[in-house]
Amino acid sequence: MTTRFRVAAVLALALAACGSPDAGQPGSGAPVVGVDYPRSDTDFWNSYIGYTPGFADALGLELRTTNSQNDVAKLTANAQAFISQGVKGVAMAPQDTAAIAPTLAQLEARKIPVVAVDTRPDTGRVFMVVRADNRAYGEKACRFLGAKLGGKGEVVMLQGDLASVNGRDRTEAFNDCMKANYPGITVYGEATNWDGAVAAQKLQTDLTAHPGIRGVYMQSSFALAGTLQVLRQKDLLVGPDDPRHVFVVSNDGIPQELADIAGGRIDATVSQPADLYAEYALHYLKAAIDGRSFAPGATDHGSTIVQVRDGVLEDQLPAPLVTADGGTYDGVPSLKHDDRSLWGNERG
């Protein structure tokens, strides 16, 4: 079954789940698993939340959910609640990847397997990390902007939280790529803590101080609305053929980003697979409960499992560059914004 039709079938299952946010029926004998949602204030994570119950149902898992709201203390408390409920496995997406270690140790002591989604804990053991290659995100954004700017000019990078491995990976890869391949491009890096208001304020300051800026790399769609507002205010929200155009690259692949690429408001994104995160988080929890094990190498779902440190494997799911024309930019291929294989078009 193709991703398109598999996702459609799973969404149908989710809608048929009697209006309940949890899959499965209490007392059904299905393995009970806990999924902590890291936040519900972005389109990306709301999409992940929407996919999860259907995949749990399809895998025969009874689902318990919590939302830690980007707060590691709440995530710790939620993990305690899962333990008290007797879950057989936990999926989580810790946004502070250093502070989660004690919680992981407690779950390991209880022999409760953990799948980390989107982020990789800095220390501690998990059964599997389900994530895309976040260094590739930074590399693809760099290559796109480098090609569009002809290797010269100024760009702003609106960084995520550097306490997160995702923020660090995207930042380091973008900087490394620019330094190695486009030394004529100056990068203004701005820490934002994944806060859209902070990102907008810093972008506005940079554009005032450096009016020659012609590129923006947003490390996720958290900054999308604010970035477009700032560009509009400065009369820079113009088409790509206008010399004032500021080339904007994002990360996530939400429906709004795809619409903005189609409309010429932004130029590219890297599609982070919300659907596959939900599917394979639960796939690996079920595998752990069933006593299965995995090794580095190619998978049967178009990804590669790599060993990131001793005892920790990461399934690096595909995350393509998406552009208006589906072209290749300095060696990096892209999908066109209306490609039906993109999850953002399934939910758009």
Side-chain angles (χ1 to χ4, degrees):
M1 184 181 291
T2 66
T3 297
R4 176 182 178 184
F5 292 108
R6 182 184 69 240
V7 169
V10 167
L11 288 174
L13 278 171
L15 291 172
C18 302
S20 168
D22 292 349
Q25 297 297 321
S28 65
V32 180
V33 298
V35 176
D36 181 79
Y37 302 135
R39 56 200 304 167
S40 54
D41 58 350
T42 71
D43 288 345
F44 177 82
W45 283 113
N46 283 331
S47 294
Y48 170 79
I49 289 168
Y51 281 118
T52 300
F55 283 119
D57 219 28
L59 288 165
L61 298 172
E62 186 175 324
L63 188 62
R64 299 286 181 267
T65 63
T66 55
N67 191 320
S68 53
Q69 300 175 336
N70 203 26
D71 184 329
V72 72
K74 289 182 179 178
L75 176 52
T76 298
N78 292 343
Q80 294 287 340
F82 286 147
I83 291 171
S84 69
Q85 293 168 21
V87 301
K88 301 301 183 184
V90 173
M92 62 173 67
Q95 303 297 282
D96 186 330
T97 52
I100 196 60
T103 299
L104 294 178
Q106 187 174 27
L107 289 164
E108 183 180 12
R110 299 280 188 136
K111 300 188 184 305
I112 299 173
V114 173
V115 172
V117 183
D118 176 57
T119 62
R120 181 178 66 241
D122 295 352
T123 59
R125 295 180 64 87
V126 295
F127 181 77
M128 182 68 73
V129 178
V130 173
R131 185 172 178 254
D133 182 350
N134 277 241
R135 286 193 62 86
Y137 292 3
E139 174 87 14
K140 290 173 183 179
C142 163
R143 295 283 184 177
F144 180 84
L145 288 176
K148 284 294 188 181
L149 298 180
K152 297 179 181 179
E154 300 169 289
V155 303
V156 177
M157 173 169 50
L158 299 174
Q159 303 164 336
D161 187 352
L162 299 184
S164 160
V165 66
N166 289 358
R168 294 195 301 271
D169 277 358
R170 297 175 200 185
T171 296
E172 291 168 3
F174 187 82
N175 283 334
D176 289 349
C177 171
M178 282 292 182
K179 183 177 179 181
N181 299 286
Y182 312 108
I185 294 179
T186 300
V187 178
Y188 303 111
E190 299 290 2
T192 70
N193 196 34
W194 307 118
D195 187 314
V198 172
Q201 183 272 319
K202 291 190 173 182
L203 177 60
Q204 186 170 46
T205 298
D206 282 335
L207 287 169
T208 300
H210 309 284
I213 287 170
R214 288 296 175 265
V216 176
Y217 170 37
M218 307 183 301
Q219 288 191 358
S220 91
S221 58
F222 78 97
L224 180 62
T227 293
L228 294 181
Q229 181 180 15
V230 169
L231 293 177
R232 186 178 293 108
Q233 288 171 347
K234 291 190 168 291
D235 199 26
L236 295 172
L237 194 60
V238 294
D241 294 330
D242 190 305
R244 293 173 296 152
H245 182 74
V246 176
F247 291 96
V248 178
V249 186
S250 187
N251 283 163
D252 278 344
I254 63 173
Q256 187 59 54
E257 287 176 322
L258 303 185
D260 285 336
I261 292 172
R265 293 177 291 275
I266 71 172
D267 302 274
T269 189
V270 178
S271 180
Q272 184 169 223
D275 56 339
L276 300 184
Y277 280 4
E279 179 176 4
Y280 288 100
L282 294 166
H283 166 84
Y284 284 115
L285 279 187
K286 179 70 161 52
I289 293 167
D290 291 344
R292 296 177 59 194
S293 61
F294 298 87
T299 70
D300 62 359
H301 48 270
S303 63
T304 302
I305 295 176
V306 300
Q307 182 168 315
V308 292
R309 62 175 183 269
D310 186 37
V312 176
L313 298 176
E314 179 172 301
D315 188 353
Q316 295 189 334
L317 298 169
L321 179 68
V322 181
T323 62
D325 62 359
T328 297
Y329 293 88
D330 205 2
V332 178
S334 71
L335 296 179
K336 194 174 178 182
H337 63 87
D338 58 359
D339 192 301
R340 297 305 299 176
S341 70
L342 296 168
W343 71 267
N345 285 324
E346 294 294 335
R347 295 188 72 82

